[in-house]
Amino acid sequence: MAICFQFQSPLKPITFPSSTTKRVPIFKCKASFSTTTTTELEPVFTSVKSFAPATVANLGPGFDFLGAAVDGLGDFVSLSIDPSVSPGHVTISEISGSSKLSPNPLFNCAGIAAIATMKMLNVRSFGLSLKLEKGLPLGSGLGSSAASAAAAAVAVNELFGAKLGVDQLVLAGLESEAKVSGYHADNIAPAVMGGFVLIKSYDPLELKPLIFPQNQELFFILVSPEFEAPTKKMRAALPAEIGMPHHVWNCSQAGALVASVLEGDVVGLGKALSSDKIVEPKRAPLIPGMEAVKKAAIKAGAFGCTISGAGPTAVAVIDNEEEGKKIGQKMVEAFLEEGHLRSVAMVKKLDRVGARLIEGVPT
């Protein structure tokens, strides 16, 4: 695979205006993508710019079936009709924020998702030029590849009149994720849809948004160390089989986590988030200082802490931003003292919107 995962620069915060929260039902579709439209569409924009947020996958006991979107961090994609590009093709003309990504669209998360979306829309007569602006470090455990894929899929869809639903956009992003780290939707689904998302099934793909109450405060404390944790390597560390006691425990805690999200119970959410007995125990030792960071977060007042996705980012939850900043500092100190790793801490809200159009130039 030409796309490599390596921690780069610290996270780059962005300011982005919030939009109307999406409230959607369960989405069902076959776990494959094909042409959705029978007639070729005309573009409604000559160029568009889209954004997709960072995501926290797994959330402790929800390995591969729970994820959440994070506000204020993510990737941008600019897309335009380009007569110099062969019809039905996409070219990546520029990548900023990363020197590690391939400009070949067949080996780039944004390019793969853009091509998949073009196929769904039956785009054959127009060539597209894509610019990718990375706001997320690679291999950080914050859904970097999913953010690129989601932003690209939304950009193509909006350029041609937004004919595809979020379920189809998730499938386009899954095409990209499958080639990078495996067929799992716990990053790409919340990146596209926003909020918390439960993946009920992969075959067929069924997605269930979990609506966290608007009147409740929730803050993610994200602490990212300067350490490489490639998703494929971290998945290889997982056990092939698990015992029944751990299976029962994790299922009960995943259920408790879902209930806490729906009830707006941040304390319960944190407790469930910290409870994984299957995945985290195998991955935490591979990230220097992670176990000490979790203890430091909880001692400082966090309601819970775990590994974000495959890591190395640690994620804790709290209901007060100022307290979150204090907890983040303690986590940074623990990474340095116990893991000998420098890290950066950020306190972010839940992104309730997901991937969206930022601007467009009409045809």
Side-chain angles (χ1 to χ4, degrees):
M1 169 50 64
I3 304 175
C4 57
F5 283 73
Q6 181 177 356
F7 193 94
Q8 299 179 320
S9 59
L11 299 175
K12 302 174 183 177
I14 61 173
T15 302
F16 194 81
S18 59
S19 302
T20 304
T21 302
K22 299 178 182 177
R23 293 179 179 271
V24 286
I26 295 175
F27 296 99
K28 299 182 180 181
C29 56
K30 292 183 178 180
S32 62
F33 73 90
S34 58
T35 300
T36 301
T37 58
T38 55
T39 58
E40 186 166 8
L41 300 172
E42 291 291 325
V44 298
F45 294 102
T46 58
S47 64
V48 296
K49 186 174 183 178
S50 62
F51 168 83
T55 48
V56 173
N58 300 339
L59 299 170
F63 177 71
D64 274 6
F65 64 86
L66 285 172
V70 177
D71 183 55
L73 296 170
D75 289 358
F76 293 91
V77 163
S78 298
L79 192 71
S80 60
I81 302 294
D82 190 341
S84 68
V85 178
S86 300
H89 291 74
V90 59
T91 295
I92 298 178
S93 59
E94 182 181 333
I95 300 174
S96 61
S98 173
S99 60
K100 300 292 185 180
L101 295 177
S102 171
N104 185 335
L106 298 178
F107 299 102
N108 182 287
C109 297
I112 296 168
I115 292 169
T117 309
M118 290 173 72
K119 289 181 178 179
M120 288 180 174
L121 292 170
N122 196 29
V123 176
R124 295 172 297 171
S125 299
F126 301 93
L128 306 180
S129 178
L130 185 152
K131 294 182 180 179
L132 173 61
E133 181 183 339
K134 291 295 298 177
L136 293 173
L138 308 183
S140 59
L142 291 171
S144 177
S145 60
S148 297
V154 166
V156 174
N157 189 41
E158 293 288 344
L159 194 72
F160 290 93
K163 303 297 183 181
L164 301 178
V166 293
D167 55 338
Q168 294 162 308
L169 296 176
V170 170
L171 278 178
L174 266 176
E175 177 71 10
S176 173
E177 291 285 82
K179 294 183 179 180
V180 173
S181 59
Y183 195 83
H184 58 94
D186 47 348
N187 286 116
I188 188 64
V192 171
M193 300 165 65
F196 288 90
V197 180
L198 166 67
I199 294 87
K200 292 187 64 180
S201 168
Y202 277 94
D203 188 14
L205 184 68
E206 296 186 24
L207 310 172
K208 172 65 177 176
L210 305 174
I211 307 303
F212 188 83
Q214 289 276 2
N215 61 344
Q216 296 294 326
E217 292 280 17
L218 170 63
F219 294 92
F220 295 103
I221 306 160
L222 305 166
V223 181
S224 298
E226 294 180 348
F227 183 76
E228 181 181 357
T231 302
K232 287 186 176 181
K233 177 181 178 181
M234 300 302 279
R235 292 181 80 87
L238 302 182
E241 297 180 353
I242 59 172
M244 183 60 73
H246 284 175
H247 166 71
V248 172
W249 171 261
N250 264 42
C251 286
S252 69
Q253 296 308 300
L257 194 151
V258 169
S260 297
V261 169
L262 296 175
E263 295 172 354
D265 178 5
V266 185
V267 175
L269 193 162
K271 186 176 180 180
L273 183 115
S274 295
S275 67
D276 176 29
K277 290 187 177 181
I278 297 173
V279 177
E280 183 184 315
K282 297 295 183 181
R283 286 178 167 175
L286 302 179
I287 304 171
M290 179 59 74
E291 293 166 331
V293 169
K294 180 173 182 175
K295 291 179 181 178
I298 295 174
K299 182 178 180 180
F303 298 149
C305 180
T306 190
I307 303 170
S308 177
T313 294
V315 57
V317 292
I318 195 68
D319 59 0
N320 180 280
E321 185 174 12
E322 290 305 313
E323 286 300 311
K325 292 177 181 179
K326 296 176 184 178
I327 294 167
Q329 182 57 40
K330 293 297 183 180
M331 294 169 70
V332 167
E333 292 172 3
F335 258 131
L336 186 60
E337 293 173 6
E338 300 296 330
H340 306 293
L341 296 175
R342 292 180 299 175
S343 59
V344 59
M346 305 188 79
V347 180
K348 294 295 179 181
K349 289 188 174 183
L350 177 71
D351 183 304
R352 297 176 180 268
V353 181
R356 61 266 205 184
L357 179 70
I358 302 296
E359 59 188 40
V361 178
T363 54

